[in-house]
Amino acid sequence: MKIICQKEDLQKGVSIVSKAVPAKTTMPILECILIDAETGSIKMTANDMELGIETTITGMIEVPGKIALEAKVFSEIVRRLPDNAVTIETDENYTTTIVCEKAKFAIPGKAGDDFAYLPQVEKNQNISLSQFTLKEIIRQTIFSISDNENNKMMSGELMEIEKDTLKLVSLDGHRISIRKVRLKEEYDPIKVVIPGKTLSDVSKILTGDNDSEVELFFTNNHIIFEFDQTTVVSRLIEGEYFRINQMLNSDYETKLVINKKEFLNCIDRATLLVKESDKKPLILTITDSNMAVKLNSSLGSLNEDIAVEKNGKDIKIGFNPKFLTDALRVIDEEMVTLYMVNPKAPCFIRDEEESYIYLILPVNFTEE
Amino acid sequence: MKIICQKEDLQKGVSIVSKAVPAKTTMPILECILIDAETGSIKMTANDMELGIETTITGMIEVPGKIALEAKVFSEIVRRLPDNAVTIETDENYTTTIVCEKAKFAIPGKAGDDFAYLPQVEKNQNISLSQFTLKEIIRQTIFSISDNENNKMMSGELMEIEKDTLKLVSLDGHRISIRKVRLKEEYDPIKVVIPGKTLSDVSKILTGDNDSEVELFFTNNHIIFEFDQTTVVSRLIEGEYFRINQMLNSDYETKLVINKKEFLNCIDRATLLVKESDKKPLILTITDSNMAVKLNSSLGSLNEDIAVEKNGKDIKIGFNPKFLTDALRVIDEEMVTLYMVNPKAPCFIRDEEESYIYLILPVNFTEE
């Protein structure tokens, strides 16, 4: 194989497919990036058997062929080359020379034949949305998946499509995050659970451009993301997702409108008193037009008042401050609305149209 | 004690004195910052017994007094307060309330009496130079001190003043870094060894302003840095520094002028093939107007040619690439000059006036 690409194109390709190179593996071939220039275009592929990414890069093929190169060394080399044309050439022993200006690297490669290509899946059902929207809703829900090894379902997110609405849901046993977006047309119903790692990797590759689309294809076992010159194929998590509808409830006793930034800054101050080993709740005492925020720990105490707009009953309720922060951070609105029933029942942060719903369980606290 | 300061002033003071708060200590009082408002000004002090820092901040004293506050919590609190006036007030149990707008922190404090003040030293000899210059020469030499616990002398830097020249020297057994600067007037000779940690902390506090001066005072055991509203007192390292003059030699067989940036980029590419566990030398083969750079490791090989201007003999010589990088990075000139004698003798990187001298020992290498 002999190809010539611009360093910039090479680097972009490497950076995209590297997301699917596993950090640790017992199969050395999986640590490689495959460069395949056999069929008229230069394709790069990486595949950790759960997630596979393929991208096509611009370049000239002088001798068709393919080679698998150790991803870490190859990407480090590409990154440090001068900004100029790069020639990649392999010999019969798979030794690969990478030449750019006066720099000439020689590294060992592997036969491309051992490489696990992306699974060929039938592309039946597909939907389309903007890169920006997909990237946003992943960011706005991914934080509440669980990394609990014992519950694989919680490490993924539910993607549910019903008519023209796409819903993304994550939960970890203490909270639920839901984002809904409107699609441009109506689709047949789809309900799949996507690994959190896949969503997080995809969101890193997406440019976030509002004018570029992502096509999603679904099969029984796989989801495929197609955008720009890139295809991402991921296994789905098998099984039925949690029934979240029965946990959602629109009744409330207390409704609170609060300035998001003031609330976040106050929680930020309170949490500096919280040590890892000694989790303390943030206690909110909500009366007419005032919320008294209090946190006591072995390091000291914080008391702070925030002006609020309250409807309904007074309430005193405790939260893990991190759960409030996580949800508030991904809400774009300046003012947010909290709905509460009692100090034992979940609190909801949601907008009127329920384009977002963040359910957070309160925590018990003892009165001094 | 009751004082009122602007958050910004408070934060600046805390950030300066925090450099002298030890990370670990068996004496809890050393983990504190002392706020002393007994004598008409607000002074903050921290002292780890090797290094002490005191700075005066702007503010209003309503009730004179002093308090020692745990540095980590106090600095975290200050950092997260709104940008506004902050009131710090202590009660008879040393509980300290910190109030800013609607936020009110209460943290435990300690009696200031237990605090170790800075040593009172006689200020006899003193010299003066710009903050910019001091900060620069520290940066340009600090990298080659040794963190070898068994050789305390190597963990410090020699500061030598002779007439109007200040010289800063560091060495670690494989290399020597020397920077010389011209002072505005002549001084009596001074020769002291300053702990590397002191220099590194001082350089972090210095604004690097070319128009502000630092005054240095010397005693038998201490050095004092005075600048802006801040005083830094540090113990000196006792004993005689290494005799470096006998290691310096201006004879050479090969003189090489090279573009610094090209050389640095080339070394950067080569070092990506070097694993921690498997140090490989960078081999330079210098002939007329060309330097062939080569590095072989288990990961692969790099070969690169760089155009140079050579005088004297051809030479083939090996280096630890890190030592070359460290020195080249802190040289401001676009072109640098290397002087070599043979593959066993030290290489010198220096300018004509010897305002900098970087001595680097070569390493052995085996020819394939």
Side-chain angles (χ1 to χ4, degrees), chain B residues 235-250:
Chain B
R235 273 185 196 278
L236 294 171
I237 296 176
E238 284 172 43
E240 203 188 341
Y241 198 70
F242 308 93
R243 292 189 195 163
I244 55 155
N245 286 332
Q246 61 199 44
M247 300 181 229
L248 304 179
N249 188 338
S250 58

Side-chain angles (χ1 to χ4, degrees), chain A residues 2 25 76 118 161 173 186 189 195 276 310 324 366:
Chain A
K2 184 175 180 186
T25 170
E76 285 285 316
L118 297 198
I161 292 145
E186 298 202 350
E276 278 296 324
K310 189 204 75 167
L324 288 173
T366 48

Side-chain angles (χ1 to χ4, degrees), chain A residues 80 104 106 268-269 301 303, chain B residues 80 104 106 268-269 301 303:
Chain A
R80 301 194 205 187
K104 180 180 169 189
D268 190 38
R269 282 189 278 277
S301 68
N303 283 280
Chain B
R80 300 194 205 187
K104 181 181 166 189
D268 190 38
R269 283 189 277 276
S301 68
N303 283 280

Side-chain angles (χ1 to χ4, degrees), chain A residues 29-49:
Chain A
I29 191 77
L30 296 187
E31 287 171 4
C32 291
I33 291 174
L34 179 76
I35 303 176
D36 183 341
E38 283 196 321
T39 52
S41 64
I42 305 174
K43 276 185 255 171
M44 286 193 185
T45 312
N47 186 356
D48 72 4
M49 308 309 272

